[in-house]
Amino acid sequence: MTSRDDIREVIIIGSGPAGYTAALYTARAQLRPLLFGSSIFVCGSLTTTAEVENFPGFSEGVDGPVLMETMRAQAEKFGAEMIDDDILAVDLTGPVKVLTDSAAGAVHRARTVIVATGSGYSNLGLPEEELSGRGVSWCATCDGFSFRDRNIVVVGGDTAMEEAAFLTRVARSVIVVHCRSALRASKVMQNRAFADDKISFAFAFDSEVAEIKKSGGMLSGVVLRDVFTGTRRELDVTGLFIAIGHAPRTELYTGQLDLDAEGYITVAAPSTHTNLTGVFAAGAVVDHTYRQAITAALDAERYLAAQKADDTAPQPVAALS
């Protein structure tokens, strides 16, 4: 194990929009930030998004990897140092934070640490990642408008209801696949889904995706399996959205940073302060509600969707006297 004698002002753990934004701002403030990305998840989850249409500044849209590389280059332009390696261990409790990387086992020290390690999508256990950006997605808000006029399957429970509702704006049809015989989503969300003629639950309850089909490197269909009878049914779809949950990448900080019941880092909102002095957290490692690079409009959008659902719901008829 090697050790570096100099003490950094700032070390950032994690790339993606949160990490690169932190690197850009601290670099412009001449704080000499050092950012550790990841040997696996370099540039964050947006690298798996084929086309980003809702990020400002790109009127024609932009590929996720291109967007992330552009953010990285901008931070580097102002002096941020980047290392595509994982942090293996941390001691964040003292006034000087100590981090050990996984490549050379080198020890790095800093007065402040910004945690931006994000969250990972849960998978089905099939080779779906091979078709990421080729018909398979984990985020309707990110990728939905690339699936115009397609037949789509959405797998999951509560989150799947929101994903399905969003996808009806662009899809030809949406089939929701659920492993139980009844949904656990709120009644409002269920009623909204059942009332939408683009959303179907036929043959999809008590079911799981057992196989994914591909043709020419693109998704061409899925095979559903009844969890009780084992009966299989093939669906001719060219879109698969997986909405079975997320897992924050916070294992490294267990026992040091305060985490909520789902494992996300808790901060003193609206600030990014964690429970440890000099340690801050931002992005999806904190946010299990939005998990988006830009979030300001989402609450308004959801509010208006709920209002529309209320307006179209059957109204009670007054009894005649």
Side-chain angles (χ1 to χ4, degrees):
M1 179 181 295
T2 60
S3 178
R4 296 186 58 167
D5 294 331
D6 60 322
I7 299 176
R8 292 268 183 170
E9 296 297 318
V10 182
I11 289 181
I12 301 160
I13 310 175
S15 51
Y20 288 149
T21 301
L24 172 61
Y25 272 71
T26 52
R28 291 186 73 245
Q30 299 184 349
L31 296 176
R32 297 192 310 122
L34 171 62
L35 182 147
F36 281 90
S38 169
S39 56
I40 301 173
F41 300 105
V42 179
C43 299
S45 298
L46 274 178
T47 54
T48 63
T49 302
E51 185 176 7
V52 180
E53 295 183 318
N54 56 353
F55 198 90
F58 299 91
S59 60
E60 302 300 320
V62 59
D63 286 345
V66 173
L67 176 59
M68 291 298 92
E69 286 299 331
T70 302
M71 288 187 180
R72 174 177 176 139
Q74 186 177 9
E76 289 180 315
K77 173 185 175 182
F78 289 97
E81 182 181 348
M82 308 283 179
I83 298 179
D84 295 331
D85 189 20
D86 298 291
I87 292 296
L88 184 66
V90 297
D91 182 355
L92 306 175
T93 56
V96 175
K97 320 303 177 184
V98 182
L99 301 85
T100 305
D101 67 38
S102 61
V107 174
H108 306 264
R109 296 177 173 83
R111 293 183 174 84
T112 62
V113 168
I114 299 173
V115 177
T117 41
S119 64
Y121 298 111
S122 298
N123 287 321
L124 299 171
L126 302 171
E128 63 264 38
E129 290 186 338
E130 296 177 6
L131 294 176
S132 175
R134 297 178 174 85
V136 177
S137 174
W138 289 259
C139 178
T141 309
C142 309
D143 302 333
F145 288 96
S146 298
F147 287 74
R148 289 180 178 86
D149 203 34
R150 295 197 198 184
N151 296 318
I152 296 172
V153 162
V154 181
V155 184
D158 291 13
T159 304
M161 294 299 97
E162 293 189 23
E163 300 282 273
F166 184 92
L167 289 167
T168 58
R169 305 177 191 184
V170 295
R172 181 183 306 151
S173 67
V174 180
I175 297 176
V176 177
V177 176
H178 190 57
C179 62
R180 297 183 177 88
S181 56
L183 297 170
R184 293 184 177 181
S186 70
K187 286 298 181 182
V188 172
M189 183 63 70
Q190 290 187 45
N191 291 339
R192 193 182 306 165
F194 291 142
D196 195 316
D197 58 7
K198 280 192 175 183
I199 299 178
S200 171
F201 297 87
F203 310 106
F205 279 116
D206 294 326
S207 299
E208 61 185 6
V209 176
E211 186 180 350
I212 54 178
K213 301 284 188 177
K214 62 181 178 179
S215 176
M218 302 291 290
L219 178 78
S220 61
V222 300
V223 177
L224 302 187
R225 178 173 57 215
D226 188 291
V227 296
F228 294 111
T229 67
T231 303
R232 290 178 172 240
R233 176 183 176 85
E234 185 168 342
L235 301 178
D236 182 19
V237 297
T238 54
L240 171 62
F241 282 77
I242 302 168
I244 58 175
H246 299 77
R249 298 188 178 111
T250 54
E251 300 89 347
L252 192 62
Y253 322 111
T254 302
Q256 297 185 54
L257 297 182
D258 288 346
L259 309 177
D260 67 14
E262 298 179 63
Y264 290 84
I265 297 173
T266 59
V267 294
S271 78
T272 60
H273 290 264
T274 69
N275 59 297
L276 294 180
T277 302
V279 181
F280 308 88
V285 76
V286 172
D287 174 19
H288 49 78
T289 301
Y290 302 105
R291 295 184 294 271
Q292 296 291 308
I294 293 177
T295 63
L298 292 182
D299 281 333
E301 179 184 331
R302 291 173 182 176
Y303 168 78
L304 292 171
Q307 292 292 103
K308 181 179 179 181
D310 290 342
D311 290 343
T312 57
Q315 299 299 313
V317 178
L320 298 175
S321 57

